[in-house]
């Protein structure tokens, strides 16, 4: 297998920074007000963040066991193939390679350029050029060495956590609002369930680290620990940030603020607070983009090794000197740039949310198949409180699927149709082997 030629340069610290960096984007800076509004009270809003964290941690603990037993480059694509059959892995890999990862990368690149406009005014075309240049820089760094991508991930994760830590510490010490209670607000929200749904989106992204399992020095041991510690860290950070915001601003002001974190920073740090938080968001988005560039490219690499894509021989090549999947990185970059300049990235990611969560629920549910297929000796890690913990993760995923199909039935249907277009390609390539 070509992936054996990938250099095992990723450290345990870099793996944790991938988990944290891919989860924490701009959501925690911008979305607390929406969660509190839907929850109906400060106390219920905090509980929503805790509940979303528990559901996410349950999924993470479950996937960690699967990852320890199948520590291969490609992540969920590989798990579905080995647990459910080749076609299921292919369909996920198909939508991840052609749309999901490059569209998400394009969206993050545009978000980075948009926040840059706070300091340097840019028109629409200028933002696209900056988005492409920032993405090009990350492409070059990840081509030269996976280690460089890992270093960027650690630096950006520390950078994004700094403003968050400042808000937490200064907010908890100096805040004067102390608006933490369970009394209903006068503003009508969509309900506690919708608030949990909002937090689950904010916790998304951690599973990307499984794509680079083949580049960890001891993936069977390090991958489960990185997933669990990374997700656990984010839960603590999210809950503390929201406590701090409530300690600084009354709930009514949080709900109406477009950027609650910036408003809190202005109260705590004066007029420079907005700039401080904007820099924090830019670093946060840049780090998330790097994480997606690094992990997303491993899916077409793994698919190329299995002849699951056109031009598989090209996609599976590892650079002889750099030890990185140069061609897979380049294809991903070109698709992302196409989505940046066409402006379709948000539409495409919206269309695929439903489908991607179907595969995610299948992945968590795969633990029951794994336990029948793989002996206890081969599993380096076991999910605690089995089967309760996996069921919590599955129920959380089913709730997201239900909410998505109710709120966006047409998008859900189109997403399924896009996914199914891969079936004739799968069978054509299979016949051509």
């Amino acid at each position: 297998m070509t992936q054996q030629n990938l250099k095992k340069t990723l450290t345990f610290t870099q793996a944790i920074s991938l988990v944290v960096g891919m989860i924490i984007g701009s959501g925690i800076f911008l979305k607390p007000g929406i969660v509190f509004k839907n929850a109906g009270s400060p106390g219920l809003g905090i509980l929503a963040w805790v509940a979303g964290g528990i559901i996410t941690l349950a999924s993470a603990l479950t996937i960690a066991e699967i990852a320890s037993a199948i520590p291969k480059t490609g992540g969920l694509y590989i798990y579905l193939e080995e647990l459910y059959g080749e076609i299921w892995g292919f369909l996920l890999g198909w939508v991840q390679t052609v749309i999901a990862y490059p569209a998400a990368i394009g969206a993050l690149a545009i978000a980075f350029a948009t926040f840059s406009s706070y300091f340097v005014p840019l028109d629409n075309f200028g933002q696209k050029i900056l988005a492409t240049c920032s993405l090009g820089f990350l492409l070059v760094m990840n081509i030269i060495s996976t280690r460089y991508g890992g270093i960027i991930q650690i630096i950006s994760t520390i950078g994004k956590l700094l403003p968050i830590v400042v808000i937490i510490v200064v907010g908890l010490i100096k805040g004067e609002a102390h608006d933490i209670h369970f009394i209903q607000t006068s503003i009508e929200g969509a309900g506690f369930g919708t608030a949990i749904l909002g937090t689950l989106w904010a916790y998304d992204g951690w599973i990307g680290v499984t794509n680079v399992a083949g580049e960890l020095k001891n993936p069977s041991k390090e991958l489960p620990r990185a997933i669990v510690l990374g997700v656990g860290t984010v839960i603590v950070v999210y809950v503390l940030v929201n406590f701090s915001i409530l300690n600084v601003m009354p709930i009514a002001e949080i709900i109406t603020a477009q950027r609650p974190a910036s408003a809190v920073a202005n109260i705590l740090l004066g007029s420079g607070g907005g700039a401080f938080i904007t820099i924090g968001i830019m670093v946060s988005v840049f780090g998330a983009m790097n994480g997606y560039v690094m992990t997303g490219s491993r899916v077409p690499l793994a698919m190329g090794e299995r002849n699951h894509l056109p031009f598989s021989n090209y996609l599976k090549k590892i650079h002889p000197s750099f030890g990185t999947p140069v061609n897979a990185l380049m294809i991903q970059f070109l698709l992302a740039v196409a989505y940046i300049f066409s402006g379709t990235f948000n539409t495409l990611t919206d269309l695929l949310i439903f489908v991607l969560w179907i595969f995610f629920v299948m992945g968590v549910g795969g633990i029951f198949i794994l336990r029948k297929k793989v002996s206890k000796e081969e599993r380096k890690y076991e999910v605690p409180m089995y089967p309760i913990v996996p069921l919590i993760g599955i129920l959380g995923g089913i709730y997201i699927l239900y909410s998505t199909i109710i709120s966006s039935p047409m998008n859900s249907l189109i997403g399924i149709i896009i996914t199914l277009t891969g079936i004739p390609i799968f069978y054509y390539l299979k016949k051509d082997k």
Side-chain angles (χ1 to χ4, degrees):
M1 281 298 219
T2 310
Q3 65 176 267
Q4 299 304 314
N5 296 324
L6 285 168
K7 291 184 178 179
K8 291 184 177 291
T9 54
L10 280 179
T11 65
F12 176 63
T13 303
Q14 289 168 341
I16 291 179
S17 69
L18 268 174
V19 177
V20 175
M22 290 184 71
I23 298 174
I24 301 177
S26 60
I28 190 58
F29 296 97
L30 305 175
K31 299 298 184 185
I34 296 170
V35 173
F36 285 122
K37 177 182 176 181
N38 288 327
S41 77
L44 286 175
I46 294 292
L47 285 180
W49 285 103
V50 173
I54 289 170
I55 292 169
T56 303
L57 188 58
S59 301
L61 288 164
T62 305
I63 292 293
E65 178 173 333
I66 298 173
S68 75
I70 314 173
K72 298 179 182 178
T73 294
L76 188 58
Y77 154 68
I78 298 295
Y79 308 157
L80 293 179
E81 178 182 280
E82 299 207 3
L83 296 174
Y84 291 95
E86 199 176 4
I87 184 69
W88 292 104
F90 169 83
L91 288 175
L92 172 62
W94 165 251
V95 294
Q96 283 184 326
T97 296
V98 178
I99 299 176
Y101 273 116
I105 290 165
L108 287 165
I110 283 292
F112 176 78
T114 302
F115 284 111
S116 300
S117 299
Y118 183 92
F119 302 101
V120 181
L122 294 169
D123 60 14
N124 185 262
F125 183 73
Q127 288 180 5
K128 290 178 178 179
I129 293 296
L130 178 58
T132 303
C133 290
S134 62
L135 183 53
F137 170 77
L138 292 177
L139 170 71
V140 172
M141 289 298 101
N142 278 278
I143 283 176
I144 293 172
S145 174
T146 299
R147 186 166 60 88
Y148 289 166
I151 291 168
I152 290 171
Q153 198 62 40
I154 289 176
I155 294 170
S156 62
T157 300
I158 293 169
K160 75 173 62 182
L161 287 175
L162 278 175
I164 292 174
V165 170
V166 169
I167 288 176
I168 290 170
V169 174
V170 181
L172 291 177
I173 294 171
K174 290 191 173 183
E176 297 177 353
H178 312 306
D179 200 2
I180 303 170
H181 55 76
F182 285 88
I183 301 169
Q184 291 286 305
T185 64
S186 58
I187 301 173
E188 286 274 330
F192 185 65
T194 306
I196 294 175
L197 185 64
T199 69
L200 287 171
W201 298 135
Y203 282 115
D204 194 25
W206 58 268
I207 199 170
V209 72
T210 62
N211 293 356
V212 293
E215 291 153 275
L216 282 165
K217 288 164 185 174
N218 187 357
S220 294
K221 184 182 288 186
E222 292 176 342
L223 197 56
R225 287 169 56 208
I227 291 170
V228 174
L229 285 172
V231 172
T233 299
V234 173
I235 293 170
V236 173
V237 167
Y238 278 5
V239 171
L240 287 176
V241 165
N242 282 278
F243 264 119
S244 179
I245 289 173
L246 287 168
N247 204 41
V248 175
M249 290 174 66
I251 185 69
E253 291 181 20
I254 296 171
I255 290 172
T256 55
Q258 284 191 326
R259 298 183 180 182
S262 295
V264 167
N266 281 327
I267 292 169
L268 296 173
L269 307 174
S271 57
F276 177 68
I277 289 299
T278 301
I279 291 171
I281 295 173
M282 288 174 62
V283 172
S284 187
V285 170
F286 190 76
M289 180 165 51
N290 180 68
Y292 275 84
V293 167
M294 186 188 299
T295 61
S297 60
R298 272 54 180 179
V299 176
L301 168 69
M303 293 189 78
E305 291 169 350
R306 288 158 179 75
N307 195 37
H308 275 175
L309 286 173
F311 312 108
S312 284
N313 287 334
Y314 175 81
L315 289 169
K316 72 182 181 182
K317 285 184 179 177
I318 302 295
H319 194 282
S321 301
F322 301 146
T324 56
V326 176
N327 295 341
L329 280 161
M330 282 297 303
I331 289 295
Q332 180 179 255
F333 170 78
L334 293 173
L335 284 170
V337 171
Y339 294 145
I340 286 170
F341 278 91
S342 65
T344 58
F345 42 84
N346 283 328
T347 303
L348 290 168
T349 50
D350 288 347
L351 291 175
L352 288 180
I353 286 171
F354 181 74
V355 168
L356 292 173
W357 274 91
I358 290 176
F359 290 125
F360 183 74
V361 172
M362 287 179 67
V364 178
I367 190 69
F368 299 105
I369 301 171
L370 182 84
R371 289 272 178 124
K372 291 178 182 176
K373 281 188 170 185
V374 179
S375 67
K376 188 169 183 176
E377 291 71 33
E378 293 177 86
R379 300 194 303 270
K380 311 293 183 188
Y381 166 88
E382 288 194 338
V383 58
M385 293 187 290
Y386 176 90
I388 296 170
V389 168
L391 288 173
I392 291 171
I394 291 168
L395 290 172
I398 289 171
Y399 177 66
I400 286 183
L401 289 173
Y402 168 77
S403 300
T404 305
I405 203 167
I406 293 298
S407 62
S408 307
M410 188 52 66
N411 279 0
S412 302
L413 178 61
I414 294 171
I416 290 172
I417 292 169
I418 290 171
T419 305
L420 295 179
T421 59
I423 292 178
I425 294 170
F426 172 78
Y427 284 108
Y428 173 76
L429 291 170
K430 199 169 179 64
K431 183 188 74 173
D432 207 37
K433 278 185 180 179

